[in-house]
Amino acid sequence: MVERAHNTPGPSRELLSDADIGRVVDRIAHQILEKTRGARDVTLLGIPTRGVPLAVRLAERIRSFEGVEVPHGALDVTLYRDDLRLRGARPLGPTSVPAGGIDGRRVILVDDVLYSGRTVRAALNALYDIGRPLQVQLAVLVDRGHRELPIRADYVGKNIPTAHSEKVSVLLRETDERDAVVLHGGDL
Amino acid sequence: MTKRAPAILVLEDGRVFHGEAYGAVGETLGEAVFSTGMTGYQETLTDPSYHRQIVAMTSPHIGNTGVNDEDDESARVWVAGFVVRQPSRIASNWRAKRSLEDELATQGVVGICGVDTRALTRHLRERGSMRAGISSVDTNPQRLLAKVLASPPMAGANLIADVTTREPYTVAAASGDPVLTVAAIDYGIKRNTPRRMAERGIETRVLPASSTVDEVLAQKPDAVFLSNGPGDPATADLSLIKGLLESGTPIFGICFGNQLLGRALGLDTFKLRYGHRGINQPVLDKATGKVEVTAHNHGFAVKAPAAPSVETPYGTAEVSHVCLNDDVVEGLRLTRDGKTIAFSVQYHPEAAAGPHDADYLFDRLVTLAEGAR
């Protein structure tokens, strides 16, 4: 589950700057090209909110590195969450699957923070209601640990060991005023 | 800091990388290759085996230890061009005498920085080493591409005359009287090879590659060393090596020397798609089953014979070492009457730069030379 506590009081520290995030996205794009041997059958699906612009950025980087057009879209997982009944109603995000669908494609799920793994579990269920991918991989900007399910990422921008009491915020220009990864709370 | 001029790197297949001038400002052509060594750029730059090659370093930060006066492998920088991701702004090492960029500029070596070397490396891995050009004076890709396409390819290139010593010279044993004398045929020898031999009491007489059998044997060598070097082994004259094999002189070869020994024994050589260049290549010694992590720099290799051993006019030849990444032949052994009379390796036991796992091969050279007395 992703924490987005932008207004959390207490100390905070910027762990990744604007330039760092640029480099990290570049590297993940390179790794996708290498691990999927040219990314020719890859479809990128971002998990709203911030996974969507990350998927767009990755597709753009892959195009600039190798001239490969990677289809990309968004996959909303809200209705597949296991905590729907525990919390109040939430707005649904957009789901847009690229033309051609996901059957037989190497789908890479893209999210900003990997934490408990429950969001990814929901994404897998959402995905299998749409089609049958050849393979599913996971790319995240930050892995902060504390998994509650047997899930791991194939591409990690940065591993940030955290305490449960801390909060990790990913800010992206498309949704926030700047690019940054900020750690709030805990004993800084 | 002065502003860098824009520069381009153009590959033979038309791919263009944009960056900034690094080292000398100018234009250069060569074969684009990549080296995976994270350290040892000074040894790489001065290794004659890199003659006519534009070397891209996969390690992203280059120049941090500057340049010193001890680590050069020859009298000059041999690479035709140098490609780095991010040059170090300062040199920080107790041995550093000057910055890498100043050294490159002084020696007129054209380089480019700010290039996405990871994309470049992947391109070369998938499509193979190819001709390339760097220019920081004319950044029109089309004009540079035309020059790249007009430049000679590495396959079929004979570069021995460019790099071999003009006059013979001697490297004395490290201390005391020499135990053994080795005649080294210079196809582009690295300084660390005679140094490794000198440590074992060997006096090395380095001879031009054009030497005749009589000139070599006139040195009364206990063994002959065939050095590393640039170019296509298929173009080299083998009469010297065949003559030496006939004379029964023990032979030890490294890199290009391994390829030439292989060819003299009737084996074939071929150009690898993107070569082995780096300092962490795993090699299996087939005799002992031991794996060494070794330094490599080769774009050509000996083609593995179909049979485990091949009968030659000089004895029985067999493959002694293989690379565990791709099964490329990394060493040869020639035996006659159950006794080793010549051996060679494709990699670099002199390890400049690189790990010292293969240093024992120089001890084997001593054993070989002593055994032939």
Side-chain angles (χ1 to χ4, degrees):
Chain A
M1 203 181 74
V2 177
E3 310 262 0
R4 285 179 195 121
H6 303 298
N7 303 315
T8 312
S12 67
R13 187 158 50 124
E14 186 171 297
L15 297 178
L16 290 181
S17 68
D18 190 295
D20 291 334
I21 290 179
R23 265 198 296 276
V24 158
V25 172
D26 278 4
R27 172 168 55 74
I28 294 177
H30 279 303
Q31 286 177 311
I32 290 174
L33 278 163
E34 282 152 25
K35 196 163 174 172
T36 62
R37 301 194 172 269
R40 298 209 182 271
D41 49 2
V42 166
T43 297
L44 294 164
L45 288 181
I47 300 174
T49 307
R50 288 172 186 75
V52 180
L54 280 175
V56 173
R57 289 189 191 189
L58 285 171
E60 186 275 317
R61 298 315 293 150
I62 290 171
R63 184 188 316 118
S64 88
F65 293 150
E66 297 290 337
V68 180
E69 292 290 342
V70 176
H72 54 89
L75 180 69
D76 183 56
V77 305
T78 311
L79 292 176
Y80 296 87
R81 301 201 82 99
D82 55 10
D83 56 358
L84 260 186
R85 266 161 290 176
L86 302 180
R87 302 200 199 170
R90 268 167 286 175
L92 298 188
T95 287
S96 64
V97 176
I102 58 163
D103 286 338
R105 304 285 301 178
R106 215 175 285 278
V107 171
I108 302 180
L109 297 171
V110 184
D111 203 358
D112 53 355
V113 180
L114 178 58
Y115 186 18
S116 65
R118 286 176 192 266
T119 304
V120 177
R121 197 280 310 160
L124 289 171
N125 284 34
L127 199 59
Y128 278 81
D129 278 354
I130 301 172
R132 184 183 185 279
L134 176 73
Q135 186 186 19
V136 183
Q137 297 183 342
L138 175 63
V140 296
L141 193 61
V142 173
D143 181 350
R144 61 165 295 189
H146 303 291
R147 217 77 77 239
E148 291 161 12
L149 292 168
I151 282 171
R152 60 149 183 81
D154 298 89
Y155 313 96
V156 178
K158 189 166 177 66
N159 284 296
I160 301 179
T162 57
H164 268 302
S165 58
E166 291 168 323
K167 294 191 186 306
V168 175
S169 300
V170 170
L171 310 177
L172 295 177
R173 235 173 286 117
E174 293 89 332
T175 50
D176 313 283
E177 69 284 4
R178 63 193 176 108
D179 274 9
V181 173
V182 183
L183 185 70
H184 308 274
D187 304 318
L188 289 179
Chain B
M1 207 168 127
T2 52
K3 191 156 160 40
R4 297 175 180 281
I8 53 167
L9 166 71
V10 175
L11 300 178
E12 169 178 357
D13 64 1
R15 179 141 191 200
V16 181
F17 290 87
H18 293 270
E20 294 177 322
Y22 180 62
V25 171
E27 196 164 288
T28 187
L29 301 170
E31 184 192 36
V33 298
F34 59 88
S35 171
T36 59
M38 295 190 71
T39 59
Y41 56 79
Q42 187 176 342
E43 289 90 331
T44 296
L45 289 165
T46 52
D47 178 348
S49 295
Y50 281 109
H51 180 40
R52 286 253 310 264
Q53 288 179 327
I54 292 175
V55 179
M57 302 303 285
T58 59
S59 181
H61 196 217
I62 295 294
N64 43 335
T65 51
V67 172
N68 61 46
D69 288 335
E70 295 95 46
D71 288 347
D72 282 351
E73 284 301 315
S74 68
R76 57 168 273 203
V77 171
W78 279 101
V79 302
F82 202 43
V83 184
V84 304
R85 174 80 185 90
Q86 185 182 29
S88 181
R89 280 176 289 119
I90 53 163
S92 174
N93 185 271
W94 63 278
R95 292 195 305 162
K97 290 285 193 296
R98 54 206 167 268
S99 83
L100 173 60
E101 178 154 25
D102 289 347
E103 180 77 2
L104 292 172
T106 309
Q107 300 217 24
V109 178
V110 175
I112 184 169
C113 66
V115 169
D116 186 345
T117 47
R118 188 164 183 167
L120 172 64
T121 302
R122 194 167 53 234
H123 195 86
L124 295 174
R125 265 186 71 104
E126 279 160 17
R127 294 161 183 85
S129 300
M130 58 181 87
R131 290 171 289 170
I134 300 174
S135 182
S136 42
V137 288
D138 178 4
T139 53
N140 179 317
Q142 290 310 318
R143 277 201 291 272
L144 187 55
L145 179 60
K147 289 177 198 165
V148 169
L149 291 173
S151 66
M154 185 57 74
N158 187 328
L159 307 176
I160 298 169
D162 294 354
V163 296
T164 191
T165 179
R166 285 182 215 300
E167 297 295 326
Y169 61 92
T170 300
V171 179
S175 59
D177 287 333
V179 185
L180 294 163
T181 305
V182 166
I185 314 300
D186 181 9
Y187 299 109
I189 198 167
K190 289 165 73 180
R191 282 182 183 159
N192 212 35
T193 309
R195 206 178 287 144
R196 288 274 181 251
M197 296 193 202
E199 282 172 3
R200 289 162 174 81
I202 296 173
E203 178 175 292
T204 310
R205 310 241 172 101
V206 183
L207 306 173
S210 57
S211 306
T212 63
V213 178
D214 291 338
E215 283 165 350
V216 174
L217 295 181
Q219 305 288 332
K220 302 213 182 330
D222 296 299
V224 172
F225 171 70
L226 308 175
S227 87
N228 62 293
D232 185 344
T235 63
D237 178 22
L238 301 171
S239 55
L240 170 64
I241 299 170
K242 286 182 175 170
L244 291 169
L245 282 168
E246 269 160 30
S247 76
T249 316
I251 293 179
F252 172 47
I254 287 180
C255 195
F256 195 64
N258 173 64
Q259 295 159 8
L260 295 186
L261 181 64
R263 291 193 71 85
L265 296 173
L267 301 175
D268 204 2
T269 51
F270 69 105
K271 192 170 190 315
L272 294 163
R273 190 148 61 109
Y274 51 87
H276 299 176
R277 294 175 188 85
I279 57 178
N280 61 344
Q281 308 266 351
V283 166
L284 175 73
D285 181 341
K286 291 174 82 172
T288 61
K290 260 170 80 172
V291 176
E292 302 151 29
V293 174
T294 60
H296 283 213
N297 171 20
H298 61 108
F300 293 87
V302 174
K303 195 176 265 176
S309 63
V310 180
E311 293 306 321
T312 75
Y314 318 104
T316 309
E318 59 187 335
V319 174
S320 60
H321 295 76
V322 292
C323 180
L324 291 173
N325 287 336
D326 52 9
D327 286 335
V328 162
V329 174
E330 293 293 340
L332 299 170
R333 181 171 40 236
L334 181 68
T335 51
R336 190 156 54 204
D337 306 326
K339 213 172 109 182
T340 300
I341 51 172
F343 70 102
S344 60
V345 285
Q346 183 60 65
Y347 53 98
H348 291 267
E350 81 280 7
H356 295 176
D357 293 21
D359 200 49
Y360 71 91
L361 287 165
F362 290 105
D363 297 324
R364 277 198 196 168
L365 168 65
V366 172
T367 312
L368 175 74
E370 281 173 343
R373 272 190 162 168

